[in-house]
Amino acid sequence: MINGNVLTRSVPDTTTYSYDALDRLTREQGPVVTQSFGYDGAGNRQSDGIGSYVYAPSSNRQTSRPQGPVTLDPAGHTTAQAGFSYTWDGPGQLKTVRLFGELLATYHYDARHRRTRKETTAAAPQGAATVLYAYDGNDHLIAETDATGPIRSYLWRDDVPVAQIEHRPRLDLAWSTPPGVVRLQQEGQIVDGLVALRQQYGLGPDLKAICDWQQAVLADA
């Protein structure tokens, strides 16, 4: 790494990355995708391997992207693009997502403006489901669950995210900030991997709190 920028990724394939003097990604090269990135004077991305991006001349608000025009409300929230439409509540939080008028998802928040629930319909890619979000005392997101149990968990060191753990029966991945990336290949390795992460980064007892919280959710499911 240079300045914390990832230069090479070897899993699932070998991909290299290049950056400019401002640490902005300028090129991605690998067997699946090879593309370059361009920016305007304000740092907005103007181009990538998909196409071009356009912004209003008097602001940094995007007005067009490769998929088509972008419609914004007076507050700058995206309300329509590429067949999708979005609604927002008073504090500026996403409330609903529709595709060609059909409802895909509805989002709910608590009094502290934290997302507490996401409800998707049968028309959504993941199908009809409800995802619940849990936070620690410092408003850090620590877990996502649904009716079948934990989906993913998050570990923090102070206000820095240290790891994300996937709990579903597929490749489980825990990413970590310096010095590197930790990958957990099977569900059974998650607990051992978390203990190793706690030892490596000097994490406190909140790891146990996360595990206890997940067990409680499973017991109530």
Side-chain angles (χ1 to χ4, degrees):
M1 291 187 180
I2 298 179
N3 295 335
N5 299 318
V6 174
L7 299 178
T8 304
R9 174 173 57 84
S10 58
V11 178
D13 49 58
T14 300
T15 301
T16 59
Y17 304 92
S18 302
Y19 304 83
D20 63 15
L22 298 177
D23 294 325
R24 298 178 301 194
L25 181 65
T26 57
R27 184 168 177 81
E28 174 187 15
Q29 184 168 354
V32 178
V33 177
T34 294
Q35 59 179 329
S36 297
F37 304 86
Y39 303 87
D40 63 19
N44 299 310
R45 181 179 296 180
Q46 285 188 308
S47 62
D48 58 21
I50 300 175
S52 300
Y53 303 82
V54 180
Y55 302 84
S58 58
S59 71
N60 293 319
R61 295 181 177 181
Q62 191 175 91
T63 58
S64 180
R65 53 189 301 119
Q67 296 83 358
V70 177
T71 303
L72 308 175
D73 66 15
H77 303 123
T78 299
T79 57
Q81 63 157 344
F84 287 92
S85 59
Y86 310 90
T87 62
W88 307 80
D89 64 14
Q93 299 167 133
L94 181 64
K95 283 296 295 180
T96 63
V97 178
R98 289 179 167 80
L99 179 59
F100 298 114
E102 187 167 12
L103 182 65
L104 300 183
T106 303
Y107 300 87
H108 302 267
Y109 304 86
D110 62 16
R112 297 169 71 171
H113 307 299
R114 303 178 303 186
R115 181 180 296 175
T116 56
R117 189 168 80 254
K118 176 179 70 176
E119 299 171 347
T120 55
T121 68
Q126 63 269 53
T130 297
V131 175
L132 303 178
Y133 301 87
Y135 301 83
D136 64 16
N138 295 316
D139 294 335
H140 299 136
L141 177 65
I142 59 173
E144 300 176 36
T145 63
D146 62 13
T148 62
I151 301 172
R152 62 185 56 87
S153 301
Y154 305 88
L155 292 180
W156 298 77
R157 184 177 186 181
D158 297 324
D159 290 326
V160 178
V162 173
Q164 174 179 318
I165 302 92
E166 300 289 338
H167 293 284
R168 291 301 156 91
R170 54 184 174 80
L171 177 65
D172 292 291
L173 168 67
W175 57 263
S176 58
T177 49
V181 175
V182 177
R183 294 183 182 276
L184 308 178
Q185 300 299 321
Q186 298 176 358
E187 182 78 14
Q189 293 177 270
I190 285 181
V191 173
D192 291 340
L194 287 176
V195 171
L197 282 172
R198 183 170 70 173
Q199 293 172 345
Q200 180 177 356
Y201 292 101
L203 296 175
D206 25 55
L207 172 62
K208 182 178 184 301
I210 291 176
C211 294
D212 290 346
W213 182 86
Q214 289 173 343
Q215 291 174 358
V217 170
L218 286 172
D220 292 338

